[in-house]
């Protein structure tokens, strides 16, 4: 158990819908990261927050957005969902961006 | 442009022997490298890391070697155990850049340790 929690574990929804994935970092970690793992793309970095501020951005689609709240938990919002958005979404956390990242168990999103 | 490559999709090793997993990178700005282990339906688990100022880091049965001139790193597991069977990912980070937290992952190597 890494100490990073993610909810929900599974999510099944339809194209065009919007979903919110939630992540709680390890106690004491200020950085939160979101990654997407799809079959053909491997683990891809989406976005990072540090103490409430956006710190780094990967190839995150405009339909996706994220935020980190004052209690340091983070949410990833995915809208206008497409079939290709079906993937595992992982959250990770670390003390700072210079430290090793610890991953949560992931949310499996299925878009039908 | 795949900046981190794991060229072997799979590796099979006998229990008790050494497992060597390899990783190559292209970006000379990477200064921090990590190995993760992943079981199906679980998140990646951090194993070991190495900074670019070192060429070796050891933690129990796991040792990571870094060859900066060759832009190559490897993970040695000695002795290998059946519980080590999983997918192993190497990852790299340019901590000094403005994308300091971004990890670039290889495609993974599936290790199978036979009893």
């Amino acid at each position: 158990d890494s100490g990073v929690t993610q909810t929900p574990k599974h999510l099944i929804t339809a194209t065009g819908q919007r979903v919110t994935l939630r992540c709680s970092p390890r106690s004491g970690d200020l950085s939160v990261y979101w990654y997407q793992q799809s079959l053909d793309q491997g683990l891809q970095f989406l976005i990072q927050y540090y103490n409430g501020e956006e710190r780094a951005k990967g190839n995150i689609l405009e339909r996706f957005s994220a935020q980190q709240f004052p209690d340091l938990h983070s949410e990833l919002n995915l809208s206008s969902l497409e079939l290709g958005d079906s993937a595992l979404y992982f959250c990770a956390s670390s003390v700072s961006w210079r430290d090793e990242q610890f991953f949560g168990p992931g949310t499996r999103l299925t878009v039908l | 442009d795949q900046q981190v490559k794991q060229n072997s999709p799979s590796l099979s090793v006998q229990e008790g022997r050494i497992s060597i997993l390899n990783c190559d990178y292209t970006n000379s700005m990477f200064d921090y490298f990590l190995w993760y282990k992943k079981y199906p339906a679980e998140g990646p688990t951090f194993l070991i890391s190495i900074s670019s100022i070192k060429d070796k880091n050891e933690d129990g049965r796991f040792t990571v070697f870094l060859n900066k001139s060759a832009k190559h790193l490897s993970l040695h597991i000695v002795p290998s155990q059946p519980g080590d069977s999983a997918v192993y990912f190497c990852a790299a980070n340019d901590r000094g850049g403005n994308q300091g937290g971004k990890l670039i992952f290889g495609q993974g190597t599936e290790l199978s340790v036979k009893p």
Side-chain angles (χ1 to χ4, degrees):
Chain A
D1 184 354
S2 66
V4 179
T5 60
Q6 289 187 248
T7 56
K9 194 167 177 61
H10 300 280
L11 201 46
I12 301 174
T13 188
T15 54
Q17 295 297 304
R18 172 189 167 96
V19 297
T20 297
L21 313 183
R22 183 187 167 102
C23 168
S24 292
R26 294 186 319 157
S27 177
D29 285 357
L30 298 178
S31 268
V32 170
Y33 312 80
W34 287 97
Y35 291 85
Q36 179 192 57
Q37 185 183 27
S38 54
L39 277 173
D40 57 345
Q41 292 290 325
L43 272 157
Q44 300 284 318
F45 170 79
L46 293 177
I47 197 163
Q48 175 201 358
Y49 281 82
Y50 178 76
N51 204 19
E53 300 288 327
E54 184 183 302
R55 171 82 175 89
K57 214 166 182 176
N59 293 329
I60 187 168
L61 299 171
E62 284 191 15
R63 300 183 285 110
F64 295 2
S65 65
Q67 54 183 323
Q68 186 179 27
F69 294 87
D71 67 352
L72 301 178
H73 91 271
S74 178
E75 292 181 356
L76 178 67
N77 300 295
L78 315 176
S79 61
S80 302
L81 284 167
E82 302 175 358
L83 295 177
D85 298 327
S86 295
L88 272 167
Y89 291 84
F90 291 105
C91 170
S93 74
S94 65
V95 176
S96 82
W97 63 84
R98 299 184 63 83
D99 300 300
E100 59 271 16
Q101 296 173 26
F102 294 87
F103 282 75
T107 293
R108 179 173 291 282
L109 173 66
T110 302
V111 182
L112 300 175
Chain B
D1 174 27
Q2 203 173 341
Q3 298 185 68
V4 178
K5 293 181 185 178
Q6 294 175 255
N7 291 317
S8 299
S10 62
L11 175 68
S12 184
V13 169
Q14 208 65 32
E15 180 179 6
R17 308 295 286 266
I18 184 171
S19 295
I20 300 177
L21 297 104
N22 294 303
C23 181
D24 297 296
Y25 62 96
T26 58
N27 188 342
S28 57
M29 298 303 293
F30 288 147
D31 60 357
Y32 189 51
F33 304 88
L34 308 92
W35 283 94
Y36 286 86
K37 172 182 178 180
K38 188 179 182 305
Y39 294 115
E42 293 184 14
T45 299
F46 170 71
L47 278 177
I48 192 169
S49 62
I50 187 167
S51 162
S52 60
I53 62 172
K54 295 186 174 182
D55 53 19
K56 177 182 173 182
N57 189 26
E58 202 168 345
D59 184 1
R61 297 185 298 113
F62 301 93
T63 303
V64 56
F65 295 92
L66 176 63
N67 182 333
K68 288 188 291 293
S69 60
K71 294 191 178 69
H72 177 83
L73 63 154
S74 60
L75 175 68
H76 292 210
I77 307 173
V78 184
S80 301
Q81 300 172 354
D84 296 329
S85 297
V87 178
Y88 288 78
F89 291 94
C90 70
N93 188 359
D94 169 15
R95 294 186 296 179
N98 61 4
Q99 297 272 297
K102 175 181 179 178
L103 288 182
I104 306 295
F105 281 86
Q107 293 297 97
T109 296
E110 184 170 10
L111 174 66
S112 175
V113 181
K114 309 277 187 203

